[in-house]
Amino acid sequence: MNKKHWMVMGLLGLFILACKKDKPLPEQIITFLGFVKPVNFPDPVYNFANNKPTKAGVELGRALFYEPRLSRNNTISCGSCHIQSSAFTQHGHDVSHGIDDRLGTRNSPPIMNLAWNKAFMWGGGVYDLDLQPIVPITTHEEMDEKLDNVMNKLKQLPKYTSMFKAAFGSEEINTSRFMKALSQFMLLCISSNSKYDKVMRKEGGQTFSPAEQEGYVLFKNKCASCHSEPLFTDGSFRNNGLAPSAINDLGLYTATLQETDRYKFKVPSLRNLQYTAPYMHDGRFLSLSGVLDHYRSEVQATANLDPLLQKESRRGLALSEDEKTKLLAFLSTLNDEEFIKNPLLAEQ
């Protein structure tokens, strides 16, 4: 099996084709592979010993991910704010839109490569993927529901009693199993087949164009300290010099109450930027050009500004118009079309 097939998702199967002459069509036997680490990725940090993805568990998690009964009035699912064609973000919205069209305060972050995440959400506060769904389900602006109500609704549907039994061995539906199933699906939302990945893995003779290669060198010199390869985030929380928003979102400080955490937000991955506009925690930039202009000339001297953006008398990054063009060329190699079109991640 070639690298492309076994790295895409872990959900992809091995196909054994029958060759008997009396059968007009090949018989296909699909083998579930579970979670498979892409060869150019580091070891994941998620504790798989406590929740190993299974075929039935992932199928249950996918059904729950797209289930609107997770919300108070049965209208909003996880997939409402995390849309696959937008790399599991809510494309076009500066901040998330939840139940009754209520507005959240932050941009919907992408769901991808979560097995390598130590902390979740723009402002932190959750450090276990199995617990993360509690936040959107119970938040007033998002799903505005109680977990007990969600469990009761699921118990009324024969579809879920049978799916929970297939995944966990009995028909019991409880919060722990519910969270683990959602995690199993999200863990397999792996984006690892961009042009960048194929170049790094030397697949199919893929190479960077001259502009992409020069942009890659610029990236390593100017951006990689925070957006480290191959995930293109170091998972840290930093203040990148944005002017405080109208609501004065304090970022990580809200979770820690530490003065040194004011205006720090999680460093996002740079993968799939073609699909995830607008950008930053509050979606204030509509284009990548606008993002780079911020780093060139708009970095503010706010509290706890990251030292990497304050060097001697200059704030931000020295970046010419030509360098900006080349950097954008490299960033385009991080888009993974296979990820956003993978039918195994779509609502069934």
Side-chain angles (χ1 to χ4, degrees), residues 290-310:
V291 171
L292 293 183
D293 285 343
H294 161 75
Y295 286 112
R296 288 204 301 178
S297 60
E298 300 169 6
V299 172
Q300 305 294 303
T302 50
N304 305 313
L305 177 64
D306 195 282
L308 292 171
L309 295 174
Q310 178 68 71

Side-chain angles (χ1 to χ4, degrees), residues 16-17 32 43 59 66 112 120 158 175 192 229-230 236 241 258 281 284:
I16 303 173
L17 305 180
F32 178 76
D43 290 336
E59 290 173 349
Y66 291 106
M112 64 178 174
F120 302 89
T175 301
S192 63
E229 300 175 67
S236 66
Q258 298 293 315
H281 69 277
R284 68 178 65 190

